[in-house]
Amino acid sequence: MSYLKLAIGAVLAITILGLVAIAAIYRGNAISAQAETKQAKAALATVTAVNDANQATIGRLQAQATYDAKMTAQLAEQLAASNQVFIDNTAALHKLKDANADVDHFLALPVPPALRQLYDKPGAAGGRQD
């Protein structure tokens, strides 16, 4: 009987040691999972901050694009108006030239060399583009 008690005690001791070992493994896994959870929360906070910064940048870029489009439209209108004024002035000049002999004679005169040099400079308004 004493061998039987000893065998039962040994089995019971091995079972208890096995349960303690399993509990230690689960405890280690739980600690590891907690560390991973903290790391995941920190990564989420970083990603959220980056996303918020990106959204703010996108908002600023959209506002700038809207402003740029508005300014481009205004410049196009101003350019069209300037071109129309130029066309109107050119037409009026041709009419005046055709209607008035003095104006026709004046416009037929050669341009003085000093004035021609002013307009022949590269980059000048109406000048040559070399």
Side-chain angles (χ1 to χ4, degrees):
M1 179 105 167
S2 122
Y3 285 114
L4 184 60
K5 286 183 182 179
L6 190 60
I8 292 175
V11 169
L12 190 58
I14 291 172
T15 304
I16 291 173
L17 286 175
L19 290 175
V20 169
I22 290 173
I25 290 171
Y26 282 130
R27 174 83 173 138
N29 288 343
I31 291 171
S32 176
Q34 286 176 345
E36 289 176 4
T37 301
K38 286 181 183 178
Q39 186 177 11
K41 286 181 180 179
L44 178 63
T46 301
V47 169
T48 302
V50 169
N51 187 45
D52 291 343
N54 287 343
Q55 290 298 325
T57 301
I58 289 169
R60 286 191 302 274
L61 289 174
Q62 288 174 335
Q64 183 66 46
T66 301
Y67 176 77
D68 291 347
K70 178 182 173 186
M71 295 308 296
T72 301
Q74 287 179 353
L75 287 173
E77 289 174 8
Q78 290 174 358
L79 180 62
S82 295
N83 284 338
Q84 189 59 48
V85 167
F86 176 74
I87 290 168
D88 294 344
N89 286 344
T90 302
L93 179 66
H94 284 297
K95 284 182 184 177
L96 185 60
K97 180 180 165 189
D98 293 340
N100 190 322
D102 289 337
V103 173
D104 185 41
H105 175 69
F106 175 77
L107 291 175
L109 293 175
V111 176
L115 186 58
R116 182 175 300 279
Q117 286 177 357
L118 179 67
Y119 285 102
D120 281 346
K121 289 181 185 175
R128 291 182 304 193
Q129 301 298 320
D130 293 333

